[in-house]
Amino acid sequence: MKNESVFRVPLFLSFLFVLFLGLSVSPVFCGSENTLVVGKPFGPATAFPDPAKGYNGWFTNESGTTETLFVLDTRMKLAPWLAKSYKNVDPLTWEIALKEGIVFQDQTPLNADAVKWSIERIIDEKSAVFNKRIQDLLDIDSIAVADKQTVVFKTKNPNPALIYDLTSPGTGIISPKSTEEKFFGTGPFILDETVPDEQMVLSAFDRYWGGKPGLSKAVLKVIKDPVSRMLAFESGQIDIAVNFPEHDAKRLMDRKDVRIYHKPTSRICFFFVRVADGPLADRRVRDALNLAIDREEIVNAVLAGIGGVQGISVFPETLPWYHEGLKPFVHDPDKARKLLADAGAADSDGDGILELGGSPLVLNIWTYEGRASLKPTLELVQMQLSKVGIGAKLRVTRKGSPINDAMQKGEVHLNLQMWNAAPQGDPDYFISNIFTSDAGFNYMGYSNGELDDLAAKAKTVFDFAERKKIYDRIQEIVREESPVIVLFHKSMIAAVKDTVQSFEIHPAEKYLMTRELSKK
């Protein structure tokens, strides 16, 4: 088992280390004045990343090669993109008008027929690129062409989130003339080449409807290790590095040729809490955990004070669904100890660990590899809990099944995760997938009848203000009962050379390559 750790390499060794990495950070492209090179942790695993397949849409959307009908703006509010407007005709019917004058990268026009073809191939079970995850989001029954620039969507059930769901990168619109080896989007960049798990090579689409791109070429390099990514940046091999240790960002802030960007996103770091059985079935113990955890210390020590903000609700302030009335948990070890005592916990043998129900109060706490801040967060929480008499056994494993299966069996008490709380900007995704009694990711064994009823009702309400009240109440229930414990809301960190202009972090984390980006 390989545990991820953060370490420092002396600057005088940086060049030698990067050379040693070899192909992981080569070839070097930064010599070209109008070619931008970005180092990032993830990329497509296939040479032909059709946006409809799997999660390829995230990469094609991020690279500026495909675009969706609607978009989330920098305030995470819904806005038209390829669409011009929409009308909710009735609970099952949506009429979407398209912008005029947009052409695909194969020079064919964006029209209603093209949109119908592009979406239908995603939702048709007989299609080679059928995507069940996306169809479950959209719940589309049929698509019709009303006129040359108007499409009519009918859903199987009322879906007030449909327009939000049409911001999903997997719904990126491509030309009907796309083939199995080449697709044509509407974005400012054409995808020239993909080397699986290594890089995407882009060139400017000069007829882009939003105006000629500021760059002629771009390369998105996959450098999975965050330390290697930063070394590549410092040695001049890449122009932008994203998602790396925050303490490196603090160190680079003094360099005149580097700008450090950090901005809150809709990603949250939280514990799944096993509430169905074991010591955390007692709400007093869960409340004690909330008071024993020092979120400010985590943000300052692990995230260097710039990588995130203390968590209050499951929805961060970047989202319009954030509950402004919720108060943060105040770090209070004394009150935590009293709650534990009220629950019957006591240190009868004087070893510093409380016993509860005849057994030592030792929690199994797991997380996964791949995100630099998870393991140090786990270790700091272990130390904080020890101060109130709670022991912890830590484990770092691969993401997915090992943790989830163990938690469902009651073998894991706390499961540290980092999720985007609203990938499409709508709150239903997070609530319905985690907190409802039959949710697919309800590893906690949690059930609350009121929450189930509220979540079901929200799926039928189309008025924003009314839905907001429903999700405010859901957030109150989650805070009161703690089936999850939110630690912090993550910020995205980027190191950018001063030759790069018009770079901006988007809180949705799915928009990177824009028309405005350029190099001087």
Side-chain angles (χ1 to χ4, degrees):
M1 179 177 66
K2 178 183 177 183
N3 291 353
E4 179 175 309
S5 60
V6 178
F7 62 95
R8 297 287 172 269
V9 177
L11 289 179
F12 71 88
L13 292 178
S14 295
F15 288 94
L16 292 177
F17 187 72
V18 170
L19 288 174
F20 174 76
L21 290 173
L23 293 176
S24 66
V25 293
S26 63
V28 177
F29 291 93
C30 284
S32 173
E33 292 183 358
N34 209 25
T35 296
L36 183 77
V37 185
V38 181
K40 52 197 295 291
F42 309 109
T46 175
F48 178 65
D50 187 312
K53 285 188 175 182
Y55 287 90
N56 286 335
W58 286 85
F59 302 121
T60 63
N61 193 103
E62 186 181 55
S63 64
T65 57
T66 58
E67 297 172 318
T68 49
L69 293 174
F70 296 89
V71 68
L72 298 173
D73 66 18
T74 54
R75 298 170 299 167
M76 292 296 287
K77 291 187 176 180
L78 195 64
W81 204 0
L82 297 178
K84 179 173 65 177
S85 62
Y86 71 90
K87 180 182 179 181
N88 184 205
V89 179
D90 60 51
L92 300 178
T93 309
W94 300 78
E95 188 176 277
I96 298 175
L98 305 174
K99 288 175 180 172
E100 304 274 353
I102 296 178
V103 295
F104 290 104
Q105 292 155 358
D106 63 356
Q107 313 300 328
T108 59
L110 173 79
N111 55 34
D113 285 323
V115 170
K116 180 177 186 291
W117 174 87
S118 189
I119 299 294
E120 280 187 338
R121 71 195 192 101
I122 302 171
I123 65 173
D124 181 1
E125 293 184 7
K126 298 179 181 179
S127 168
V129 295
F130 169 64
N131 192 314
K132 184 178 184 301
R133 173 180 55 84
I134 295 176
Q135 171 59 350
D136 286 347
L137 275 177
L138 301 175
D139 193 34
I140 291 174
D141 183 54
S142 65
I143 304 174
V145 172
D147 59 47
K148 184 179 178 181
Q149 295 299 117
T150 306
V151 190
V152 178
F153 290 83
K154 280 192 174 290
T155 58
K156 297 177 182 178
N157 302 284
N159 181 11
L162 179 69
I163 303 302
Y164 284 98
D165 294 336
L166 288 171
T167 72
S168 173
T171 65
I173 306 300
I174 66 172
S175 165
K177 291 192 175 181
S178 299
T179 69
E180 292 183 357
E181 297 180 354
K182 179 77 172 178
F183 65 83
F184 304 98
T186 58
F189 295 98
I190 298 169
L191 180 59
D192 293 329
E193 179 189 18
T194 301
V195 180
D197 294 317
E198 288 190 21
Q199 66 182 23
M200 299 174 76
V201 181
L202 316 170
S203 61
F205 176 39
D206 290 339
R207 288 194 62 191
Y208 177 58
W209 64 274
K212 185 176 180 179
L215 295 166
S216 58
K217 287 188 176 295
V219 181
L220 306 185
K221 295 282 297 177
V222 177
I223 307 175
K224 295 183 178 181
D225 179 70
V227 177
S228 304
R229 197 154 57 247
M230 182 48 54
L231 291 173
F233 177 80
E234 292 191 63
S235 66
Q237 297 200 36
I238 58 179
D239 300 298
I240 299 173
V242 298
N243 293 319
F244 54 88
E246 287 82 2
H247 290 279
D248 282 331
K250 293 279 282 190
R251 175 173 55 79
L252 288 173
M253 282 181 174
D254 293 331
R255 280 184 48 167
K256 294 181 180 180
D257 63 336
V258 174
R259 295 192 300 273
I260 299 296
Y261 292 77
H262 55 96
K263 185 174 183 178
T265 68
S266 52
R267 189 169 296 278
I268 67 171
C269 183
F270 67 100
F271 282 118
F272 282 111
V273 181
R274 182 65 186 179
V275 300
D277 44 44
L280 301 184
D282 190 322
R283 181 173 160 183
R284 292 168 295 185
V285 180
R286 302 199 298 272
D287 288 345
L289 290 184
N290 270 310
L291 296 170
I293 293 172
D294 188 342
R295 292 164 175 80
E296 182 178 5
E297 184 180 31
I298 293 172
V299 168
N300 290 332
V302 177
L303 307 178
I306 62 172
V309 296
Q310 296 181 56
I312 300 174
S313 169
V314 293
F315 297 128
E317 290 187 64
T318 55
L319 293 169
W321 308 99
Y322 171 72
H323 190 333
E324 296 180 353
L326 292 183
K327 295 181 179 180
F329 285 101
V330 178
H331 177 53
D332 192 336
D334 290 336
K335 190 172 181 180
R337 293 186 192 96
K338 184 178 185 306
L339 283 168
L340 292 169
D342 291 344
D347 183 9
S348 59
D349 56 10
D351 66 351
I353 301 296
L354 299 170
E355 294 89 38
L356 182 65
S359 301
L361 184 50
V362 178
L363 304 179
N364 292 324
I365 310 180
W366 291 20
T367 193
Y368 58 90
E369 300 171 331
R371 292 192 178 273
S373 56
L374 289 179
K375 183 172 180 284
T377 295
L378 212 63
E379 292 168 343
L380 187 51
V381 168
Q382 179 186 42
M383 184 186 71
Q384 292 172 351
L385 296 182
S386 70
K387 294 179 179 179
V388 299
I390 299 176
K393 293 181 179 178
L394 308 185
R395 182 175 177 183
V396 181
T397 184
R398 64 182 175 86
K399 190 175 183 179
S401 298
I403 306 178
N404 303 339
D405 292 346
M407 187 167 221
Q408 285 183 312
K409 295 175 183 176
E411 297 169 1
V412 174
H413 302 111
L414 294 172
N415 172 357
L416 186 64
Q417 299 277 324
M418 200 176 291
W419 284 31
N420 189 324
Q424 284 72 243
D426 188 84
D428 177 67
Y429 168 84
F430 200 72
I431 300 303
S432 291
N433 277 293
I434 292 179
F435 298 108
T436 55
S437 298
D438 60 351
F441 297 102
N442 186 345
Y443 309 124
M444 312 87 70
Y446 176 67
S447 182
N448 180 293
E450 181 187 359
L451 188 150
D452 289 347
D453 291 344
L454 288 168
K457 181 180 178 181
K459 292 176 183 289
T460 67
V461 173
F462 288 76
D463 179 73
F464 174 84
E466 190 176 348
R467 288 188 84 211
K468 176 71 164 59
K469 290 179 182 178
I470 293 172
Y471 286 112
D472 277 355
R473 176 55 191 150
I474 289 175
Q475 290 173 79
E476 290 168 3
I477 294 172
V478 170
R479 189 187 185 282
E480 291 164 7
E481 301 198 341
S482 296
V484 303
I485 291 177
V486 179
L487 301 183
F488 56 82
H489 301 149
K490 189 73 175 70
S491 292
M492 183 176 174
I493 307 288
V496 181
K497 292 293 177 65
D498 62 356
T499 54
V500 178
Q501 297 180 308
S502 301
F503 174 81
E504 184 176 9
I505 290 175
H506 195 288
E509 301 181 306
K510 57 186 178 184
Y511 309 105
L512 176 61
M513 298 300 300
T514 64
R515 181 194 70 82
E516 292 80 12
L517 271 174
S518 65
K519 289 180 72 176
K520 61 181 179 180

